[in-house]
Amino acid sequence: AQSVTQLGSHVSVSEGALVLLRCNYSSSVPPYLFWYVQYPNQGLQLLLKYTTGATLVKGINGFEAEFKKSETSFHLTKPSAHMSDAAEYFCAVSDPSGGYQKVTFGTGTKLQVIP
Amino acid sequence: DTAVSQTPKYLVTQMGNDKSIKCEQNLGHDTMYWYKQDSKKFLKIMFSYNNKELIINETVPNRFSPKSPDKAHLNLHINSLELGDSAVYFCASSQVTGDGYTFGSGTRLTVV
């Protein structure tokens, strides 16, 4: 069964510092990979995705992620944190065995940005 | 022009009651989903419909019954509500799985 692990339920960074949120997946076949952001009392919003092709993907709000097959990772980064980045971030994978229909979410990482 | 809209946004009800949550998408997507987010923010898929056909039915109590009258609507009916049903329920839709989901803003269900 597909699974995804997010290391660190809480991450704190200073404003202007690098943001690194970690995500590892388990799959013998490369899945589709996603990062979502959830602001308080809102639904999830797609930040970026990897399906095939270029392994470095860029998303909205200056975020990017790199798919590393050898490390089964899809870490999310942003060079310079902004106060508005404070939110919950979810990594997600879709299961190739099920025709990519089923998406499994990680447990989330809450990002705190310190002024 | 809300893409995926859920109603109601908040729902407070007593144990044992029956309630429904409605979801509509105006994106023309073929697939719709229900997810449950618990108090620890964990998201778990419940159901998925593709063009009115049930394609994912996770291990969910049979008190939960989805219904899709057409591909733009997916409703969730819950019978005999229990305290443990308290959560935020999210509707989502997608056209092609690789495109990712568009989520609604959620329905916060509180069972007292």
Side-chain angles (χ1 to χ4, degrees):
Chain A
Q2 198 81 17
S3 69
V4 57
T5 303
Q6 291 184 240
L7 297 175
S9 58
H10 288 81
V11 170
S12 293
V13 299
S14 298
E15 191 175 16
L18 172 72
V19 175
L20 171 61
L21 305 183
R22 300 178 187 273
C23 174
N24 288 87
Y25 67 90
S26 66
S27 175
S28 58
V29 177
Y32 291 167
L33 295 156
F34 308 88
W35 275 100
Y36 288 84
V37 61
Q38 185 179 27
Y39 298 102
N41 298 316
Q42 294 186 27
L44 282 76
Q45 179 183 8
L46 182 66
L47 271 179
L48 48 78
K49 63 184 181 184
Y50 169 79
T51 54
T52 58
T55 56
L56 180 64
V57 292
K58 296 184 184 298
I60 61 172
N61 302 338
F63 284 93
E64 61 183 37
E66 186 171 11
F67 168 62
K68 292 186 176 181
K69 183 179 177 181
S70 61
E71 299 177 8
T72 61
S73 68
F74 191 57
H75 302 330
L76 181 71
T77 60
K78 181 174 180 177
S80 176
H82 192 272
M83 295 300 295
S84 61
D85 295 327
E88 191 95 25
Y89 292 80
F90 293 90
C91 182
V93 299
S94 64
D95 187 353
S97 66
Y100 299 98
Q101 294 281 6
K102 183 178 174 183
V103 174
T104 301
F105 285 82
T107 50
T109 298
K110 187 169 185 176
L111 177 65
Q112 180 185 20
V113 181
I114 303 166
Chain B
D1 283 358
T2 304
V4 179
S5 60
Q6 296 180 229
T7 54
K9 190 170 177 65
Y10 299 96
L11 188 53
V12 181
T13 188
Q14 291 186 328
M15 279 194 305
N17 284 350
D18 303 338
K19 291 293 179 185
S20 293
I21 306 172
K22 295 185 177 182
C23 179
E24 176 182 4
Q25 54 97 2
N26 62 6
L27 298 166
H29 290 170
D30 286 334
T31 308
M32 296 184 72
Y33 310 82
W34 279 113
Y35 274 83
K36 178 181 180 180
Q37 186 175 48
D38 64 22
S39 59
K40 295 185 179 180
K41 301 285 188 179
F42 180 66
L43 276 156
K44 181 173 167 47
I45 190 167
M46 301 174 70
F47 304 102
S48 175
Y49 273 74
N50 180 271
N51 213 0
K52 301 192 297 177
E53 181 184 349
L54 181 65
I55 57 172
I56 295 175
N57 186 357
E58 289 294 289
T59 307
V60 175
N62 57 16
R63 298 181 294 104
F64 290 79
S65 53
K67 187 172 183 179
S68 181
D70 55 62
K71 74 172 193 177
H73 296 83
L74 179 61
N75 304 322
L76 183 65
H77 187 76
I78 315 170
N79 289 324
S80 303
L81 278 155
E82 301 178 356
L83 293 176
D85 298 331
S86 296
V88 181
Y89 292 84
F90 284 103
C91 178
S93 71
S94 69
Q95 179 62 12
V96 176
T97 304
D99 288 345
Y101 293 169
T102 301
F103 279 85
S105 57
T107 296
R108 183 175 295 275
L109 172 65
T110 304
V111 182
V112 297

PDB file of all heavy atoms in Angstrom, chain A residues 66-79:
ATOM      1  N   GLU A  66      11.632  18.887  -5.386  1.00  0.00           N
ATOM      2  CA  GLU A  66      12.418  18.034  -6.266  1.00  0.00           C
ATOM      3  C   GLU A  66      12.114  16.575  -5.997  1.00  0.00           C
ATOM      4  O   GLU A  66      12.199  16.101  -4.856  1.00  0.00           O
ATOM      5  CB  GLU A  66      13.917  18.288  -6.089  1.00  0.00           C
ATOM      6  CG  GLU A  66      14.770  17.519  -7.098  1.00  0.00           C
ATOM      7  CD  GLU A  66      16.221  17.927  -7.060  1.00  0.00           C
ATOM      8  OE1 GLU A  66      16.631  18.656  -6.130  1.00  0.00           O
ATOM      9  OE2 GLU A  66      16.964  17.487  -7.967  1.00  0.00           O
ATOM     10  N   PHE A  67      11.764  15.860  -7.041  1.00  0.00           N
ATOM     11  CA  PHE A  67      11.529  14.426  -6.950  1.00  0.00           C
ATOM     12  C   PHE A  67      12.865  13.712  -7.062  1.00  0.00           C
ATOM     13  O   PHE A  67      13.590  13.878  -8.037  1.00  0.00           O
ATOM     14  CB  PHE A  67      10.606  13.972  -8.079  1.00  0.00           C
ATOM     15  CG  PHE A  67      10.510  12.483  -8.250  1.00  0.00           C
ATOM     16  CD1 PHE A  67      10.006  11.688  -7.228  1.00  0.00           C
ATOM     17  CD2 PHE A  67      10.913  11.870  -9.431  1.00  0.00           C
ATOM     18  CE1 PHE A  67       9.908  10.317  -7.386  1.00  0.00           C
ATOM     19  CE2 PHE A  67      10.815  10.508  -9.594  1.00  0.00           C
ATOM     20  CZ  PHE A  67      10.322   9.723  -8.567  1.00  0.00           C
ATOM     21  N   LYS A  68      13.196  12.934  -6.016  1.00  0.00           N
ATOM     22  CA  LYS A  68      14.428  12.161  -6.025  1.00  0.00           C
ATOM     23  C   LYS A  68      14.060  10.698  -5.866  1.00  0.00           C
ATOM     24  O   LYS A  68      13.768  10.234  -4.755  1.00  0.00           O
ATOM     25  CB  LYS A  68      15.374  12.610  -4.911  1.00  0.00           C
ATOM     26  CG  LYS A  68      15.931  14.007  -5.125  1.00  0.00           C
ATOM     27  CD  LYS A  68      16.979  14.351  -4.077  1.00  0.00           C
ATOM     28  CE  LYS A  68      17.597  15.719  -4.353  1.00  0.00           C
ATOM     29  NZ  LYS A  68      18.637  16.072  -3.353  1.00  0.00           N
ATOM     30  N   LYS A  69      14.117   9.993  -6.967  1.00  0.00           N
ATOM     31  CA  LYS A  69      13.696   8.593  -6.969  1.00  0.00           C
ATOM     32  C   LYS A  69      14.577   7.746  -6.066  1.00  0.00           C
ATOM     33  O   LYS A  69      14.092   6.883  -5.333  1.00  0.00           O
ATOM     34  CB  LYS A  69      13.723   8.052  -8.400  1.00  0.00           C
ATOM     35  CG  LYS A  69      13.240   6.622  -8.546  1.00  0.00           C
ATOM     36  CD  LYS A  69      13.275   6.193  -9.990  1.00  0.00           C
ATOM     37  CE  LYS A  69      12.859   4.741 -10.150  1.00  0.00           C
ATOM     38  NZ  LYS A  69      12.911   4.308 -11.582  1.00  0.00           N
ATOM     39  N   SER A  70      15.873   8.008  -6.101  1.00  0.00           N
ATOM     40  CA  SER A  70      16.803   7.194  -5.319  1.00  0.00           C
ATOM     41  C   SER A  70      16.581   7.348  -3.820  1.00  0.00           C
ATOM     42  O   SER A  70      16.874   6.441  -3.043  1.00  0.00           O
ATOM     43  CB  SER A  70      18.243   7.561  -5.668  1.00  0.00           C
ATOM     44  OG  SER A  70      18.490   8.923  -5.363  1.00  0.00           O
ATOM     45  N   GLU A  71      16.064   8.487  -3.432  1.00  0.00           N
ATOM     46  CA  GLU A  71      15.810   8.750  -2.012  1.00  0.00           C
ATOM     47  C   GLU A  71      14.320   8.630  -1.674  1.00  0.00           C
ATOM     48  O   GLU A  71      13.956   8.827  -0.514  1.00  0.00           O
ATOM     49  CB  GLU A  71      16.302  10.157  -1.646  1.00  0.00           C
ATOM     50  CG  GLU A  71      17.797  10.342  -1.849  1.00  0.00           C
ATOM     51  CD  GLU A  71      18.247  11.766  -1.555  1.00  0.00           C
ATOM     52  OE1 GLU A  71      17.440  12.571  -1.052  1.00  0.00           O
ATOM     53  OE2 GLU A  71      19.424  12.074  -1.857  1.00  0.00           O
ATOM     54  N   THR A  72      13.511   8.322  -2.652  1.00  0.00           N
ATOM     55  CA  THR A  72      12.030   8.297  -2.507  1.00  0.00           C
ATOM     56  C   THR A  72      11.556   9.524  -1.734  1.00  0.00           C
ATOM     57  O   THR A  72      10.807   9.419  -0.751  1.00  0.00           O
ATOM     58  CB  THR A  72      11.527   6.998  -1.848  1.00  0.00           C
ATOM     59  OG1 THR A  72      12.087   6.862  -0.528  1.00  0.00           O
ATOM     60  CG2 THR A  72      11.887   5.789  -2.679  1.00  0.00           C
ATOM     61  N   SER A  73      12.029  10.688  -2.190  1.00  0.00           N
ATOM     62  CA  SER A  73      11.686  11.914  -1.486  1.00  0.00           C
ATOM     63  C   SER A  73      11.098  12.948  -2.432  1.00  0.00           C
ATOM     64  O   SER A  73      11.294  12.896  -3.655  1.00  0.00           O
ATOM     65  CB  SER A  73      12.931  12.500  -0.802  1.00  0.00           C
ATOM     66  OG  SER A  73      13.863  12.968  -1.766  1.00  0.00           O
ATOM     67  N   PHE A  74      10.395  13.872  -1.827  1.00  0.00           N
ATOM     68  CA  PHE A  74       9.783  14.979  -2.582  1.00  0.00           C
ATOM     69  C   PHE A  74       9.701  16.156  -1.616  1.00  0.00           C
ATOM     70  O   PHE A  74       8.632  16.575  -1.200  1.00  0.00           O
ATOM     71  CB  PHE A  74       8.398  14.568  -3.102  1.00  0.00           C
ATOM     72  CG  PHE A  74       7.792  15.519  -4.094  1.00  0.00           C
ATOM     73  CD1 PHE A  74       8.444  15.846  -5.270  1.00  0.00           C
ATOM     74  CD2 PHE A  74       6.532  16.062  -3.881  1.00  0.00           C
ATOM     75  CE1 PHE A  74       7.882  16.706  -6.209  1.00  0.00           C
ATOM     76  CE2 PHE A  74       5.943  16.921  -4.799  1.00  0.00           C
ATOM     77  CZ  PHE A  74       6.621  17.242  -5.956  1.00  0.00           C
ATOM     78  N   HIS A  75      10.841  16.704  -1.247  1.00  0.00           N
ATOM     79  CA  HIS A  75      10.891  17.773  -0.257  1.00  0.00           C
ATOM     80  C   HIS A  75      10.475  19.114  -0.855  1.00  0.00           C
ATOM     81  O   HIS A  75      10.799  19.422  -2.008  1.00  0.00           O
ATOM     82  CB  HIS A  75      12.296  17.899   0.328  1.00  0.00           C
ATOM     83  CG  HIS A  75      12.788  16.639   0.979  1.00  0.00           C
ATOM     84  ND1 HIS A  75      11.946  15.721   1.585  1.00  0.00           N
ATOM     85  CD2 HIS A  75      14.058  16.147   1.126  1.00  0.00           C
ATOM     86  CE1 HIS A  75      12.656  14.724   2.078  1.00  0.00           C
ATOM     87  NE2 HIS A  75      13.935  14.952   1.802  1.00  0.00           N
ATOM     88  N   LEU A  76       9.815  19.908  -0.063  1.00  0.00           N
ATOM     89  CA  LEU A  76       9.313  21.221  -0.482  1.00  0.00           C
ATOM     90  C   LEU A  76      10.247  22.304   0.046  1.00  0.00           C
ATOM     91  O   LEU A  76      10.618  22.266   1.225  1.00  0.00           O
ATOM     92  CB  LEU A  76       7.906  21.433   0.066  1.00  0.00           C
ATOM     93  CG  LEU A  76       7.201  22.744  -0.294  1.00  0.00           C
ATOM     94  CD1 LEU A  76       6.796  22.755  -1.770  1.00  0.00           C
ATOM     95  CD2 LEU A  76       5.968  22.938   0.587  1.00  0.00           C
ATOM     96  N   THR A  77      10.601  23.243  -0.815  1.00  0.00           N
ATOM     97  CA  THR A  77      11.495  24.320  -0.377  1.00  0.00           C
ATOM     98  C   THR A  77      10.999  25.666  -0.871  1.00  0.00           C
ATOM     99  O   THR A  77      10.246  25.765  -1.848  1.00  0.00           O
ATOM    100  CB  THR A  77      12.937  24.104  -0.896  1.00  0.00           C
ATOM    101  OG1 THR A  77      12.920  24.081  -2.333  1.00  0.00           O
ATOM    102  CG2 THR A  77      13.537  22.811  -0.367  1.00  0.00           C
ATOM    103  N   LYS A  78      11.452  26.683  -0.137  1.00  0.00           N
ATOM    104  CA  LYS A  78      11.242  28.065  -0.557  1.00  0.00           C
ATOM    105  C   LYS A  78      12.441  28.850  -0.052  1.00  0.00           C
ATOM    106  O   LYS A  78      12.792  28.727   1.135  1.00  0.00           O
ATOM    107  CB  LYS A  78       9.943  28.637  -0.009  1.00  0.00           C
ATOM    108  CG  LYS A  78       9.671  30.075  -0.454  1.00  0.00           C
ATOM    109  CD  LYS A  78       8.297  30.552  -0.007  1.00  0.00           C
ATOM    110  CE  LYS A  78       8.066  31.994  -0.475  1.00  0.00           C
ATOM    111  NZ  LYS A  78       6.711  32.494  -0.129  1.00  0.00           N
ATOM    112  N   PRO A  79      13.092  29.620  -0.906  1.00  0.00           N
ATOM    113  CA  PRO A  79      14.343  30.269  -0.494  1.00  0.00           C
ATOM    114  C   PRO A  79      14.184  31.243   0.667  1.00  0.00           C
ATOM    115  O   PRO A  79      15.069  31.347   1.515  1.00  0.00           O
ATOM    116  CB  PRO A  79      14.781  31.009  -1.774  1.00  0.00           C
ATOM    117  CG  PRO A  79      14.077  30.344  -2.885  1.00  0.00           C
ATOM    118  CD  PRO A  79      12.771  29.847  -2.318  1.00  0.00           C
TER     119      PRO A  79
END
